[in-house]
Amino acid sequence: MARPRTPLLSRDRIVEVATAIVDAEGLDALSTRRLARELGVQAPSLYNHFATKEEIVDAIGDAIVAEVDLSMLGRDPWPAALRAWARAYRAAFRAHPNVVPFLARGPARRPASLRLADAVYGALVDAGWPPAQATRIGAAMRYFVAGSALGSFALGFVDDPQLYAADYPRLRDAHRLAGRHAQVDDSAFELGLDALVDSLERKFAALPPT
């Protein structure tokens, strides 16, 4: 029998299928046995590409972060760049919400994640922010973006007017939020982003001259 011209497995294919499992069912659903079954191979075949499940999860996280546009950093004025990057970062997270708790831990040794951190920090320092402040800004932005992508604020309220009417009268319109969750959540993100960047601009203007 002729050997296949292309290998049955590749790192990219493993990551693609593993990401689909995690997106659909969460990180706990991912195992090497389940992944091998979905790929139509035996579990030991995966070890030619990844030594452990943890390495696969790392690769999933790095592939997601690699989707984030960084082109504005160092090119545009830092306030505009920070806003555009935050939106791109959030979009990548929201496309894969089940991976956000893992990504929120930090970059570890993942190349794309480290490139992102380097680009954000470098753009801020090059713009004139002191290194310590640039580090704090990067951390604050990650907290804000990851938090906004963990779940929907609006979808946390049930569509039941009676629930709120008697005991929570100030929430009498809360039952309407779920039906407009995308608008509510997106506008809340933009409000928070404006507040954060506007505050940083004021701090930047007050920095002592170097």
Side-chain angles (χ1 to χ4, degrees):
M1 179 182 295
R3 298 180 65 184
R5 294 187 177 183
T6 57
L8 294 174
L9 283 181
S10 68
R11 285 180 65 91
D12 288 347
R13 178 60 180 156
I14 292 169
V15 171
E16 177 187 358
V17 174
T19 302
I21 293 171
V22 173
D23 283 347
E25 301 176 43
L27 281 167
D28 289 343
L30 181 65
S31 67
T32 53
R33 181 177 298 179
R34 166 73 184 280
L35 183 54
R37 186 168 68 248
E38 295 288 340
L39 288 161
V41 299
Q42 297 298 313
S45 300
L46 301 176
Y47 300 129
N48 294 323
H49 302 275
F50 295 98
T52 63
K53 173 187 168 180
E54 288 69 29
E55 285 190 9
I56 298 172
V57 175
D58 262 344
I60 292 171
D62 218 39
I64 291 169
V65 172
E67 299 171 6
V68 180
D69 182 15
L70 304 177
S71 63
M72 72 293 290
L73 296 166
R75 181 195 67 197
D76 300 341
W78 72 263
L82 210 56
R83 282 186 167 90
W85 165 72
R87 294 181 185 115
Y89 199 22
R90 179 176 180 250
F93 275 19
R94 290 192 75 191
H96 307 278
N98 290 335
V99 191
V100 173
F102 170 76
L103 291 174
R105 300 175 193 169
R109 295 178 179 271
R110 296 187 299 276
S113 300
L114 289 168
R115 283 194 297 272
L116 182 149
D118 183 74
V120 174
Y121 176 80
L124 291 168
V125 170
D126 290 347
W129 280 100
Q133 293 276 52
T135 298
R136 295 184 189 111
I137 293 168
M141 294 300 294
R142 184 161 62 84
Y143 299 151
F144 174 63
V145 173
S148 75
L150 278 172
S152 166
F153 170 82
L155 286 176
F157 294 89
V158 300
D159 185 9
D160 180 2
Q162 297 306 313
L163 173 65
Y164 308 104
D167 297 324
Y168 314 103
R170 294 181 181 84
L171 297 179
R172 61 183 176 273
D173 292 322
H175 68 283
R176 304 180 189 277
L177 292 174
R180 297 182 292 170
H181 65 92
Q183 177 186 352
V184 172
D185 292 338
D186 289 348
S187 61
F189 174 79
E190 289 296 329
L191 176 65
L193 183 60
D194 280 344
L196 183 53
V197 177
D198 288 350
S199 173
L200 290 173
E201 287 190 272
R202 291 192 294 273
K203 288 182 180 294
F204 188 75
L207 288 176
T210 56

